[in-house]
Amino acid sequence: MEVEFKAMLDDLDVLEKSLSDPAPIHKLRSHVENLAALSKCNPQRRSKVKELSSEVVDSNPYSRLMALQRMGIVENYERIREFSVAIVGIGGVGSVAAEMLTRCGIGRLLLYDYDTVELANMNRLFFRPDQVGMTKTDAAVQTLAEINPDVVLESFTMNITTVQGFETFTSSLKNKSFCPTKEGSGVDLVLSCVDNYEARMAVNQACNELSQTWMESAGVSEDAVSGHIQLLVPGETACFACAPPLVVASGIDERTLKREGVCAASLPTTMGVVAGLLVQNSLKFLLNFGEVSPYLGYNSLKDFFPTMQMRPNPQCSNAACMERQKEYMLAKPARDAAAKAKMEADALTAIDDCPLHDDNEWNISVVDDENEKDTAKASSSSDTLPEGLTRELPVADEYEKTIAIGSGEAEEEEDDLEDLKKQLEALNAA
Amino acid sequence: MEVEFKAMLDDLDVLEKSLSDPAPIHKLRSHVENLAALSKCNPQRRSKVKELSSEVVDSNPYSRLMALQRMGIVENYERIREFSVAIVGIGGVGSVAAEMLTRCGIGRLLLYDYDTVELANMNRLFFRPDQVGMTKTDAAVQTLAEINPDVVLESFTMNITTVQGFETFTSSLKNKSFCPTKEGSGVDLVLSCVDNYEARMAVNQACNELSQTWMESAGVSEDAVSGHIQLLVPGETACFACAPPLVVASGIDERTLKREGVCAASLPTTMGVVAGLLVQNSLKFLLNFGEVSPYLGYNSLKDFFPTMQMRPNPQCSNAACMERQKEYMLAKPARDAAAKAKMEADALTAIDDCPLHDDNEWNISVVDDENEKDTAKASSSSDTLPEGLTRELPVADEYEKTIAIGSGEAEEEEDDLEDLKKQLEALNAA
């Protein structure tokens, strides 16, 4: 378009010289200038910010996120800019997860997909009809860069299940140029949002080899109404090869489903919920708040959310998993010692907090600002709210205490003999 | 921009008449035409479709949704085009709910908001930085029309809590021009996605007056980590005035929070999950599948999802609610008679299904295509899956049976004496 404007202005210059009255040319030139100004798309594209501000003004894209610190939910929200997250599969779940992390101001996103955008993807969030034909990675970078220019975006248009693709995948995860001081690999978390078994096994293999924590998600079972997320810590939890996978086409190749004129159903709702649960779990993991769920299912027909925990299989067929398990076992004494040291340090702090004088006739207590802040943090978000606000839901612990039902967690029933005897006596007495 | 092009072409016409050689003008005119063609943004904007197709091709935006019929989840997905849904509040939850319904191909959306888009909204999904300064309704219509031109969009840029606004709101809900044969009001469902008590009470008032089923949502408690959705059927369930609302600033005006340089925290994750749960519940309600949740909470720190049910308050302060309660009571005999008639009809169908002959030496049975379909429907999506596929999660009923833990629902504990005795004996024997 700019080329056309330039050519037009040049032609007007030529024409002007041949005319006695320049007025009509001046008028035409001002039209061209107006058009050029109007043609500048996205004039409001926001500029990068140097530091996250918590100032409450309409123009601050981070005010509502930085407020998480003031509410006592997150200790240091700004740390989000140091993290790198890799998302494998930029489909119905992966693209929404990428958008959520981008809007949260994550430091760096690595995006992997080999597919292109089709109109058939329009029943899920994120991609637009005008992006049809683009690769999903290119379309995602286009949209995400516009939403938040502060995020470093790296896109890999390739299939990680090929030999070449797998090599590129693992070496991109190892690249530490974004944060050279980081321990372990070059990313803090890998999110698997792929739709087939083969790709999941490739992510599993890479993460086991790199001892890389990752989360797996399935936003669409074949019937579009259930999904799940799962945390995988090599050596500590079951890997994807440890247990027969929960989502599989038994015996048949999943890809044949698509080829035969049959496609899996999908809904923007189920995928949006799964993406939300996945990124929420990721934020809890990265920013250290709440409880990171080891597994969370979503059955939308009944609004049922099962949870569970899976230990690694000591006979796992994956060699890298077996190595990580060995390392995890060997590190147990060190972990125990660290836990003990922490407990002792906490106890010591508690002693330090005692009053200096044994007698305190007037009940005077000195409150340290610092400690008060620590206490607020320790009791976390669960108990503290600003003045004048009441909590919407009961705190989960209290709710569980009251009605004695877990949030769907598979707990072992307590067969306490004394307890049963007491209940029996009470019933007999009634 | 079109005005400028038109003015420019007119000026060129005038200039041409004063010149002996028209060649430079022809050249300029072709520049203008090129520019006009280039300025048409979104060249790939998809065209409207007449009917939803279930054909599995990349160019069909509805293939993955129509697959819900083949999977036995939804009996008639195409009905979605007949429904009108009103969304009040196009913020972090409302905008995402609107996008989900748009991508699902809903017939008509009515959008209500008086606010404008700010950079401070960019930490939630949907709005883009280039829309800053636009009203939320205009920005939403711009984005949604591009995503799915089949949806009829009506936008109302106004505050429903003013006298004038409330009148426009109720009369827009009553407008039946989209589907004149529809019973009741002109919409099938109202979704309240507002962020303050006053607006919720206005929606409550309108829906009580019109006997309009609606769903309430809160995607952001003050600390951004919990939310809920709730179904409200006037006369049948508690209205918003029946019980002290679950989300309130006690004593203080919620709006002062924003004024004093303090804003509520919010996360795209929590709001995305709540929007997903809200629209999923709406789809279940409209398309008649699964179980519509009367209330579903989301505590993200613990991934805890409490459910409950709320009956109307016979001393509700809302006069319209009291009227709806009276009507609901009066209609009880008719409801009971209808339920009885349905049961008898079902029993009759069962008798019709019996074999015509008493003896059936060869075990031949005649299967009616129609009835087979009905059976599939009756057993719903929960049991049927296409050949070769296994279910990802256990069916909720079975899971509950196995581990005897509800999905967070407040069930009464069974103090069965016999049961306790047996457990005690087993423990003693061990």
Side-chain angles (χ1 to χ4, degrees), chain B residues 108-123:
Chain B
R108 173 174 162 248
L109 277 184
L110 295 84
L111 309 173
Y112 305 82
D113 208 303
Y114 64 89
D115 213 0
T116 52
V117 180
E118 304 293 353
L119 272 186
N121 305 138
M122 292 306 136
N123 70 320

Side-chain angles (χ1 to χ4, degrees), chain B residues 57-267:
Chain B
V57 287
D58 287 343
S59 57
N60 178 7
Y62 294 106
S63 58
R64 311 294 216 265
L65 296 164
M66 292 297 283
L68 289 164
Q69 287 185 192
R70 192 179 42 77
M71 307 299 293
I73 302 287
V74 178
E75 193 185 325
N76 180 359
Y77 190 83
E78 287 168 88
R79 281 191 65 206
I80 196 142
R81 297 190 77 169
E82 294 163 20
F83 299 124
S84 292
V85 176
I87 304 182
V88 189
I90 313 300
V93 172
S95 63
V96 180
E99 180 172 347
M100 286 174 171
L101 285 167
T102 296
R103 291 186 183 265
C104 283
I106 194 82
R108 173 174 162 248
L109 277 184
L110 295 84
L111 309 173
Y112 305 82
D113 208 303
Y114 64 89
D115 213 0
T116 52
V117 180
E118 304 293 353
L119 272 186
N121 305 138
M122 292 306 136
N123 70 320
R124 287 153 272 176
L125 297 181
F126 194 74
F127 292 116
R128 303 185 308 260
D130 64 281
Q131 295 176 321
V132 165
M134 290 175 79
T135 63
K136 287 185 176 174
T137 45
D138 283 352
V141 167
Q142 181 189 58
T143 302
L144 299 175
E146 198 188 307
I147 289 172
N148 190 346
D150 299 328
V151 179
V152 175
L153 297 166
E154 291 177 22
S155 93
F156 299 85
T157 312
M158 52 165 223
N159 182 348
I160 64 159
T161 66
T162 65
V163 175
Q164 169 84 63
F166 185 77
E167 261 180 43
T168 312
F169 177 49
T170 49
S171 67
S172 66
L173 294 179
K174 280 191 266 189
N175 181 352
K176 287 194 178 200
S177 55
F178 180 73
C179 187
T181 56
K182 196 191 156 304
E183 278 178 43
S185 84
V187 302
D188 297 276
L189 189 63
V190 174
L191 301 181
S192 163
C193 307
V194 297
D195 63 355
N196 66 86
Y197 178 77
E198 224 173 342
R200 281 187 180 93
M201 286 304 262
V203 177
N204 188 60
Q205 182 64 34
C207 291
N208 276 344
E209 284 178 13
L210 299 173
S211 199
Q212 174 63 55
T213 297
W214 62 294
M215 290 187 198
E216 143 73 6
S217 70
V220 53
S221 56
E222 291 70 22
D223 55 9
V225 286
S226 60
H228 76 260
I229 62 165
Q230 186 179 344
L231 171 74
L232 298 102
V233 187
E236 192 178 335
T237 69
C239 88
F240 198 70
C242 278
L246 292 165
V247 193
V248 268
S250 50
I252 56 163
D253 189 328
E254 284 162 285
R255 287 165 306 178
T256 59
L257 277 174
K258 285 176 192 169
R259 280 194 207 117
E260 287 163 15
V262 181
C263 65
S266 63
L267 281 166

Side-chain angles (χ1 to χ4, degrees), chain A residues 1 4-5 7-8 11-12 15 19 24 27-28 31-32 34-35 39 42 44 56 58-61 63-65 67 70-71 73 99-100 103-104 118-120 122-130 132 146-147 222-223 225-228 246-250 261-270 273 276-277 279-280 284 289-291 293 295-296 298 300-305 381 388-393 396-397 399 405 407 409 415 417 420 424 427, chain B residues 1 4-5 7-8 11-12 15 19 24 27 31-32 34-35 39 44 56 58-61 64-65 67 70-71 73 99-100 103-104 118-120 122-130 132 146-147 222-223 225-228 246-250 261-270 273 276-277 279-280 284 289-291 293 295-296 298 300-305 381 388-393 396-397 399 405 407-409 411 417 420 423-424 427:
Chain A
M1 215 158 174
E4 285 287 330
F5 281 124
M8 195 149 179
D11 287 350
L12 284 174
L15 193 60
L19 291 180
K27 205 172 164 195
L28 283 168
H31 282 308
V32 177
N34 286 347
L35 281 168
S39 75
N42 312 327
Q44 296 249 23
V56 181
D58 287 343
S59 58
N60 179 6
S63 58
R64 312 294 214 266
L65 295 165
R70 193 180 40 78
M71 307 300 294
I73 301 287
E99 180 173 348
M100 286 173 171
R103 290 185 183 266
C104 283
E118 305 292 352
L119 273 185
M122 292 306 135
N123 70 318
R124 285 153 273 175
L125 297 180
F126 194 74
F127 292 115
R128 303 184 309 260
D130 64 281
V132 165
E146 198 186 309
I147 290 171
E222 291 70 21
D223 55 8
V225 286
S226 58
H228 75 260
L246 291 165
V247 195
V248 268
S250 51
V262 182
C263 64
S266 63
L267 281 167
T269 45
T270 312
V273 169
L277 297 175
V279 176
Q280 196 84 289
K284 290 194 279 183
F289 68 96
E291 289 173 16
S293 283
Y295 178 100
L296 180 61
Y298 170 42
S300 76
L301 293 180
K302 303 222 167 200
D303 284 331
F304 171 64
F305 301 83
S381 50
L389 295 178
T390 53
R391 197 157 284 280
E392 179 200 2
L393 293 176
D397 287 340
Y399 190 82
I405 288 176
S407 63
E409 215 164 315
D415 286 333
L417 193 59
L420 283 173
L424 193 63
L427 280 169
Chain B
M1 214 158 174
E4 285 286 332
F5 282 125
M8 193 146 180
D11 287 349
L12 284 174
L15 191 61
L19 292 179
K27 204 172 166 195
H31 281 309
V32 176
N34 286 347
L35 281 168
S39 75
Q44 296 248 25
V56 181
D58 287 343
S59 57
N60 178 7
R64 311 294 216 265
L65 296 164
R70 192 179 42 77
M71 307 299 293
I73 302 287
E99 180 172 347
M100 286 174 171
R103 291 186 183 265
C104 283
E118 304 293 353
L119 272 186
M122 292 306 136
N123 70 320
R124 287 153 272 176
L125 297 181
F126 194 74
F127 292 116
R128 303 185 308 260
D130 64 281
V132 165
E146 198 188 307
I147 289 172
E222 291 70 22
D223 55 9
V225 286
S226 60
H228 76 260
L246 292 165
V247 193
V248 268
S250 50
V262 181
C263 65
S266 63
L267 281 166
T269 44
T270 312
V273 169
L277 297 175
V279 176
Q280 196 85 291
K284 290 194 280 183
F289 68 96
E291 288 172 17
S293 282
Y295 178 100
L296 180 61
Y298 170 43
S300 76
L301 292 181
K302 303 221 168 201
D303 284 332
F304 171 64
F305 301 83
S381 51
L389 295 179
T390 53
R391 197 157 283 283
E392 180 200 4
L393 293 175
D397 288 341
Y399 189 82
I405 288 175
S407 64
E409 216 164 315
E411 298 165 69
L417 191 61
L420 283 173
Q423 285 183 56
L424 193 63
L427 281 169

Side-chain angles (χ1 to χ4, degrees), chain A residues 374-426:
Chain A
D374 283 352
T375 318
K377 262 183 272 156
S379 68
S380 133
S381 50
S382 328
D383 310 302
T384 45
L385 267 192
E387 203 183 60
L389 295 178
T390 53
R391 197 157 284 280
E392 179 200 2
L393 293 176
V395 174
D397 287 340
E398 282 170 22
Y399 190 82
E400 279 171 9
K401 262 183 250 156
T402 324
I403 63 161
I405 288 176
S407 63
E409 215 164 315
E411 299 165 71
E412 275 184 32
E413 283 185 79
E414 278 184 30
D415 286 333
D416 187 317
L417 193 59
E418 281 310 307
D419 215 6
L420 283 173
K421 265 190 192 157
K422 271 182 211 150
Q423 283 182 58
L424 193 63
E425 278 161 20

